[in-house]
Amino acid sequence: MIEKYAQANYQKMFREPEGQLNHKFIVPGSTYSNQLWDWDSWLTNVALRQFVKEDISEYEKGCVINFLEHIDEEGRIPLQITKNSILPGVLHEPCRKSNMHKPCLAQHAAFIVKNNGEDVEWLKTYFSDLLRFIDYYMHNFRHNNGIYFWYDDGAIGVDNDPSTFYRPIESSGSIYLNCLMYKELEAICYLGQLLGVDVSKYELEKIHLKKSVQEHCYDEKDGMYYSVDLNLLPIDPKSGRHKGAPRHWDCLIQRIGCWAGFMAMWSGIATQEQAERMVKENLLDEKSFWAPYGVRTLSKYEKMYVVKASGNPSCWLGPIWGISNYMVFKGLVKYGFIDEARELAEKTIKLLEQDLKKSGEIHEYYDPEEGTPMINPGFQNWNLLSINMKAWLKGEPVVEEF
């Protein structure tokens, strides 16, 4: 049923060049206007590849190239582009800092390359720009302990994740961000090797980041990965304050049960032993994450837990999202939790088919207990990754993100 719905709507996701978008591109759903979004275009592309039989490579490549053509001198890239605007608008203003394109652009490029017979010629002209983008993250969004942070809570993708939402600037060592960054480094190394470019610096950074995340973000007490708080006052040896025993830690773990902790499995950062604890002690707790229709985006134990319809920010404080279900599912498969992965895939497909039967559409996010849609009918985007889940359930070839 979901695939039939997708087949009827997917061609409405393709856009032709317009305004400052010089290349064909993909929007997240048939109801979207001509907006190119960062992680949305990447994951929508992964879903489309699962069931679209025609050649869509020019639209895929255009998503990446359109972004790379809007890089500034510092290496910053917007997270959304329309025919006459970019988001955030401060990006190309000197000395103004903000969040930018999430670290998934190299992953999107690597996905396209890998699924087109490793043809990397189209990327040659732009590869130095892609490296500058990675370098900007490394030089401007990395703490001295190796953990990456958001500048603020603007346009982070998981809108009101409490580890970042309303937090001081440059304080959120988000586990979600660091897992994306780890895979981004893996992707840039893959592309560099195909192009014959020295990417040893990024290989070393990938190794260092994995160690940093394992050291700072894994909590042995709870058997769970968390974001960390970097908002600590500096140690000033000249002041003499606390000179007898200055702090020996450079961040504080945020024990906030968030679905993004399971991205340590999606990214491959978690050890097998850690994954065992994460699944058995956290994920499968029905009072916490494990719900009738998938994975709650925030543990039900948290004081901040709420299920309500909202936009700007969209609610990530408990509702079921297609993308969080999918990424947790991928982590389960990667670490060998096949029964749990099957159950989660079946829950996700049941959720969306139930919506289609009742409303004729699929929505942005859902109530975890009842599966009722909460907002934004016609939201396809990463919900279509349920088709990839279906292929896995049936033992068919599965298209996967890089």
Side-chain angles (χ1 to χ4, degrees), residues 222-254:
D222 291 354
M224 185 64 181
Y225 271 89
Y226 294 118
S227 298
V228 294
D229 178 11
L230 301 167
N231 190 33
L232 305 180
L233 293 173
I235 298 171
D236 183 3
K238 294 181 181 179
S239 72
R241 190 181 185 190
H242 309 312
K243 65 180 181 180
R247 63 174 169 84
H248 58 275
W249 56 92
D250 49 24
C251 62
L252 293 172
I253 204 158
Q254 292 179 298

XYZ file of all heavy atoms in Angstrom, residues 222-254:
266
model
N 24.173 3.688 32.815
C 22.898 3.414 32.152
C 23.017 2.493 30.947
O 22.001 2.030 30.418
C 22.261 4.725 31.674
C 21.779 5.593 32.826
O 21.837 5.132 33.986
O 21.355 6.736 32.567
N 24.247 2.244 30.478
C 24.411 1.452 29.264
C 23.792 2.146 28.071
O 23.098 1.533 27.258
N 24.068 3.460 27.927
C 23.408 4.262 26.906
C 24.331 5.380 26.435
O 25.164 5.871 27.206
C 22.116 4.851 27.475
C 21.258 5.624 26.485
S 20.631 4.560 25.156
C 19.703 5.745 24.184
N 24.187 5.767 25.176
C 24.901 6.927 24.643
C 24.041 8.171 24.824
O 22.830 8.151 24.572
C 25.230 6.733 23.165
C 26.562 6.048 22.943
C 26.642 4.659 22.873
C 27.734 6.783 22.819
C 27.855 4.025 22.680
C 28.958 6.160 22.624
C 29.007 4.787 22.559
O 30.224 4.163 22.369
N 24.695 9.241 25.255
C 24.014 10.509 25.498
C 24.781 11.662 24.855
O 25.969 11.538 24.531
C 23.923 10.795 26.997
C 23.069 9.850 27.804
C 23.624 9.071 28.826
C 21.696 9.753 27.584
C 22.843 8.217 29.596
C 20.906 8.889 28.356
C 21.492 8.133 29.351
O 20.707 7.287 30.105
N 24.109 12.798 24.737
C 24.794 14.046 24.397
C 25.551 14.534 25.636
O 25.322 14.059 26.757
C 23.778 15.101 23.949
O 23.093 14.686 22.787
N 26.455 15.494 25.427
C 27.225 16.026 26.550
C 27.130 17.541 26.592
O 26.939 18.210 25.565
C 28.706 15.598 26.504
C 28.841 14.097 26.688
C 29.374 16.035 25.209
N 27.272 18.077 27.796
C 27.251 19.514 28.039
C 28.689 20.030 28.041
O 29.520 19.593 28.842
C 26.586 19.776 29.396
C 26.553 21.252 29.767
O 26.847 22.095 28.895
O 26.246 21.555 30.935
N 28.975 20.960 27.141
C 30.321 21.534 27.023
C 30.416 22.910 27.677
O 31.476 23.538 27.630
C 30.700 21.648 25.539
C 30.694 20.337 24.748
C 30.773 20.621 23.246
C 31.832 19.429 25.174
N 29.345 23.360 28.303
C 29.259 24.720 28.821
C 29.884 24.819 30.216
O 29.196 25.039 31.219
C 27.792 25.178 28.858
C 27.655 26.650 29.165
O 28.494 27.452 28.779
N 26.588 27.014 29.869
N 31.197 24.660 30.288
C 31.920 24.727 31.550
C 32.825 25.959 31.556
O 33.406 26.320 30.527
C 32.772 23.472 31.756
C 32.027 22.130 31.682
C 33.004 20.983 31.898
C 30.903 22.069 32.694
N 32.953 26.581 32.708
C 33.839 27.736 32.808
C 35.281 27.289 32.587
O 35.679 26.193 32.993
C 33.705 28.385 34.180
C 32.359 29.054 34.478
C 32.315 29.512 35.934
C 32.127 30.235 33.547
N 36.096 28.139 31.951
C 37.490 27.752 31.711
C 38.289 27.696 33.009
O 37.973 28.380 33.988
C 38.001 28.880 30.797
C 37.122 30.049 31.101
C 35.770 29.469 31.409
N 39.299 26.880 33.007
C 40.215 26.808 34.143
C 41.249 27.919 33.971
O 41.947 27.975 32.962
C 40.909 25.437 34.214
C 39.874 24.331 34.430
C 41.957 25.408 35.322
C 40.439 22.930 34.309
N 41.332 28.799 34.942
C 42.281 29.920 34.881
C 43.321 29.743 35.981
O 43.079 30.074 37.148
C 41.537 31.241 35.054
C 42.474 32.446 34.928
O 43.673 32.231 34.645
O 42.009 33.571 35.125
N 44.497 29.203 35.642
C 45.518 28.948 36.669
C 46.005 30.220 37.348
O 46.482 30.186 38.486
C 46.638 28.264 35.883
C 46.407 28.620 34.456
C 44.943 28.815 34.303
N 45.867 31.362 36.676
C 46.355 32.621 37.253
C 45.462 33.113 38.391
O 45.914 33.831 39.274
C 46.431 33.688 36.157
C 47.465 33.401 35.090
C 47.499 34.515 34.051
C 48.527 34.213 32.958
N 48.556 35.279 31.921
N 44.186 32.744 38.364
C 43.266 33.248 39.380
C 43.478 32.587 40.737
O 43.128 33.144 41.766
C 41.825 33.015 38.934
O 41.498 31.638 39.004
N 44.025 31.404 40.707
C 44.225 30.675 41.960
C 42.958 30.011 42.475
O 42.965 29.336 43.501
N 41.848 30.198 41.741
C 40.578 29.620 42.177
C 40.588 28.105 42.049
O 40.935 27.574 40.999
C 39.453 30.222 41.349
C 38.068 29.876 41.855
C 37.004 30.498 40.970
N 35.676 30.280 41.512
C 34.554 30.535 40.862
N 34.618 31.022 39.629
N 33.387 30.314 41.430
N 40.220 27.444 43.100
C 40.180 25.970 43.139
C 41.543 25.350 42.802
O 41.610 24.240 42.270
C 39.125 25.418 42.161
C 37.776 26.037 42.293
N 37.146 26.207 43.500
C 36.932 26.544 41.353
C 35.961 26.775 43.313
N 35.813 27.009 42.023
N 42.610 26.073 43.089
C 43.933 25.596 42.650
C 44.337 24.287 43.311
O 45.172 23.551 42.798
C 44.985 26.664 42.929
C 45.207 26.979 44.416
C 46.268 28.044 44.579
C 46.506 28.350 46.061
N 47.540 29.395 46.232
N 43.704 23.972 44.429
C 44.056 22.720 45.102
C 43.571 21.494 44.360
O 44.192 20.428 44.447
N 42.483 21.628 43.607
C 41.943 20.487 42.860
C 41.064 20.987 41.726
O 39.833 20.885 41.779
C 41.153 19.563 43.777
N 41.641 21.568 40.672
C 40.836 22.021 39.533
C 40.167 20.823 38.860
O 40.612 19.684 39.008
C 41.853 22.681 38.612
C 43.152 22.036 38.968
C 43.087 21.739 40.431
N 39.077 21.094 38.139
C 38.355 19.984 37.506
C 39.256 19.263 36.504
O 40.085 19.883 35.838
C 37.083 20.483 36.831
C 37.284 21.450 35.692
C 35.948 21.772 35.009
N 36.065 22.876 34.078
C 36.470 22.780 32.819
N 36.802 21.601 32.339
N 36.551 23.842 32.043
N 39.057 17.950 36.422
C 39.824 17.137 35.475
C 38.932 16.608 34.354
O 39.326 15.744 33.597
C 40.508 15.959 36.192
C 39.544 15.064 36.917
N 39.114 15.330 38.203
C 38.911 13.924 36.537
C 38.273 14.383 38.588
N 38.137 13.518 37.597
N 37.686 17.108 34.253
C 36.771 16.722 33.192
C 36.490 17.937 32.312
O 36.554 19.076 32.772
C 35.459 16.173 33.773
C 34.768 17.113 34.722
C 33.809 18.030 34.412
C 34.992 17.239 36.127
N 33.399 18.711 35.528
C 34.122 18.246 36.602
C 35.844 16.594 37.045
C 34.072 18.630 37.940
C 35.801 16.976 38.371
C 34.920 17.995 38.810
N 36.212 17.693 31.047
C 35.975 18.820 30.140
C 34.569 18.821 29.544
O 34.268 19.617 28.656
C 37.015 18.860 29.017
C 37.206 17.530 28.333
O 36.275 16.710 28.385
O 38.282 17.307 27.758
N 33.686 17.936 30.024
C 32.281 17.979 29.647
C 31.501 17.167 30.668
O 32.086 16.408 31.454
C 32.059 17.434 28.239
S 32.516 15.706 28.009
N 30.205 17.358 30.677
C 29.325 16.622 31.584
C 28.283 15.877 30.755
O 27.658 16.450 29.865
C 28.617 17.581 32.539
C 29.503 18.306 33.557
C 28.693 19.361 34.299
C 30.116 17.322 34.537
N 28.105 14.612 31.056
C 27.145 13.823 30.307
C 25.726 14.290 30.629
O 25.420 14.655 31.765
C 27.326 12.319 30.604
C 26.783 11.464 29.459
C 26.716 11.933 31.929
C 27.362 10.082 29.409
N 24.871 14.338 29.615
C 23.464 14.717 29.791
C 22.630 13.441 29.780
O 22.346 12.899 28.713
C 23.015 15.651 28.661
C 23.666 17.023 28.672
C 23.186 17.867 27.501
O 23.390 17.521 26.345
N 22.564 18.989 27.782
